[in-house]
Amino acid sequence: MEKKNIDWSSLGFAYLETDKRFVANYKDGAWDEGVLTSDSQVRITECAGVLQYSQSCFEGLKAYTTQDGHIVTFRPDMNAARMKDSCERLEMPVYPVDKWVEAVDQVVKANDAWVPPYGSGATLYIRPYMFGSSAVIGVKPADEYQFRMFCTPVGPYFKGGAKPITIRVCDYDRAAPHGTGHIKAGLNYAMSLYAIMDAHRQGFDENMYLDPGTRTKVEETGGANFLFITKDNTVVTPKSSSILPSITRRSLLYVAEHYLGLKVEEREVLLDEVKDFAECGLCGTAAVISPVGKIVDHGKEICFPSGMEEMGPVTKKLYDTLTGIQMGRLEAPEGWIRVIE
């Protein structure tokens, strides 16, 4: 296949319309077969459930060109399972997991000319999402839904290398106790927009959200999970029922234990103990790991020994190993890599 004439290295993390997307509709209690279409426009009633009561959820994953020239996706079944959980929590119909993964295959194949070449640092970002499409005026779930999936090429998250970022302890709560923090609902992200823009206006790159019950424990940033490294090289991630279960984070824990021989802990992390860690990072689909150099807690600075110049040594090993698996440079655990073509 002939690739699009794009300067892949100059791409940012932004939407660029590609050739095809997948669309399926739920009506009268069943999903239709779904189709690939070149029409990128969404047409719904002004009274649609998504517009009135924000009944929507989404996912994010990537397709890569590996070192040996294959186009692959990374653990798409995990994204499908997480979207299933999101749908069930929001009283939305579940799109079958097997068909969900097949839709990913179809979208990537139909847009293979948009998959960046190996070594460019760019990838094909895939965005599946679902929303209530029928008219809803009373507060209740919609009767009809649309499941869509599009893709767009995105550039390397870090141009010129991953420089550690500075984040702040946020005064706002990301999720309510026993709420929807553990699912990928659009409403979670809408309520975080003011907090992230306020952080940017104050000169910070991101927020650290604390647990909404006691505000003494580390949760996540709203777009990524935390990853800490102790001074004896133990990998620690916060555990909470209101944290989104990151697929990248779960993969990194496996890599830490089974590839690098490190001890891993998934447990409650108190804000008071953050100062004792040697390294800190944020993990998610977009960047894999974003190193954190400094956390500011209402004027009090927590500076990690790894510094503000580069990733800490353990974080770098985790990053290199997981990206090596994704790009085909290292052998992957069974079932992690799905070859498209």
Side-chain angles (χ1 to χ4, degrees):
M1 123 284 294
E2 185 177 348
K3 295 291 186 183
K4 297 291 181 179
N5 185 21
I6 293 174
D7 181 2
W8 304 105
S9 62
S10 70
L11 287 173
F13 200 83
Y15 173 72
L16 179 63
E17 184 178 327
T18 53
D19 297 331
K20 298 286 185 178
R21 66 275 308 134
F22 181 85
V23 181
N25 290 285
Y26 181 89
K27 187 175 182 180
D28 299 328
W31 287 102
D32 64 20
E33 287 301 309
V35 296
L36 285 171
T37 176
S38 58
D39 187 357
S40 63
Q41 300 303 302
V42 178
R43 295 168 180 82
I44 51 176
T45 171
E46 63 185 352
C47 198
V50 63
L51 302 179
Q52 305 310 313
Y53 303 119
S54 300
Q55 200 181 14
S56 69
C57 61
F58 69 99
E59 276 296 326
L61 65 158
K62 288 180 175 180
Y64 312 83
T65 302
T66 60
Q67 190 174 36
D68 59 4
H70 292 297
I71 294 175
V72 305
T73 51
F74 181 72
R75 310 189 79 178
D77 55 316
M78 299 282 283
N79 293 92
R82 190 169 64 180
M83 192 168 195
K84 175 179 180 292
D85 293 341
S86 297
C87 289
E88 289 173 345
R89 179 63 176 82
L90 295 171
E91 286 294 333
M92 300 169 71
V94 172
Y95 195 75
V97 169
D98 57 341
K99 291 186 175 181
W100 198 103
V101 175
E102 289 173 6
V104 173
D105 292 352
Q106 290 183 48
V107 169
V108 175
K109 285 181 181 178
N111 295 286
D112 59 0
W114 296 90
V115 182
Y118 175 79
S120 65
T123 54
L124 187 74
Y125 185 81
I126 306 160
R127 170 53 58 85
Y129 62 110
M130 189 188 299
F131 56 87
S133 56
S134 60
V136 178
I137 198 67
V139 180
K140 68 181 188 69
D143 295 319
E144 298 175 7
Y145 296 83
Q146 189 165 103
F147 171 61
R148 299 180 68 97
M149 187 183 298
F150 67 83
C151 62
T152 185
V154 295
Y157 197 83
F158 299 115
K159 294 185 187 302
K163 292 294 184 182
I165 61 175
T166 300
I167 66 178
R168 70 170 183 181
V169 176
C170 189
D171 289 330
Y172 298 96
D173 289 331
R174 173 189 160 268
H178 313 294
T180 59
H182 63 296
I183 64 170
K184 209 164 175 67
L187 56 91
N188 292 341
Y189 295 80
M191 57 80 63
S192 73
L193 295 177
Y194 176 83
I196 187 60
M197 295 307 295
D198 183 62
H200 291 167
R201 286 189 286 268
Q202 301 299 323
F204 300 100
D205 298 293
E206 259 292 0
N207 288 303
M208 170 184 277
Y209 289 106
L210 304 178
D211 73 290
T214 70
R215 296 191 56 76
T216 61
K217 304 165 195 171
V218 176
E219 292 247 308
E220 58 159 279
T221 68
N225 285 186
F226 276 100
L227 194 75
F228 297 104
I229 312 298
T230 67
K231 291 174 182 175
D232 65 355
N233 292 343
T234 297
V235 181
V236 180
T237 63
K239 183 177 183 179
S240 166
S241 60
S242 55
I243 290 176
L244 184 74
S246 164
I247 294 159
T248 302
R249 185 254 299 164
R250 284 177 278 176
S251 301
L252 285 166
L253 290 183
Y254 184 93
V255 162
E257 184 174 7
H258 297 279
Y259 280 68
L260 301 180
L262 301 174
K263 182 182 177 183
V264 301
E265 294 178 356
E266 187 178 0
R267 60 171 175 81
E268 290 184 343
V269 175
L270 296 175
L271 176 61
D272 285 346
E273 67 176 301
V274 170
K275 66 182 185 302
D276 299 322
F277 290 118
E279 301 174 37
C280 175
L282 310 178
C283 55
T285 299
V288 181
I289 303 177
S290 302
V292 176
K294 183 191 300 183
I295 298 174
V296 180
D297 180 9
H298 300 86
K300 181 177 67 177
E301 294 188 352
I302 301 171
C303 299
F304 295 100
S306 51
M308 292 295 295
E309 293 303 315
E310 57 188 12
M311 280 189 182
V314 176
T315 304
K316 184 68 162 58
K317 287 179 183 177
L318 288 168
Y319 176 86
D320 288 345
T321 305
L322 187 57
T323 55
I325 290 170
Q326 292 172 333
M327 294 295 176
R329 295 189 294 269
L330 297 173
E331 185 174 351
E334 184 176 356
W336 279 27
I337 301 298
R338 184 176 177 88
V339 178
I340 306 296
E341 61 179 33

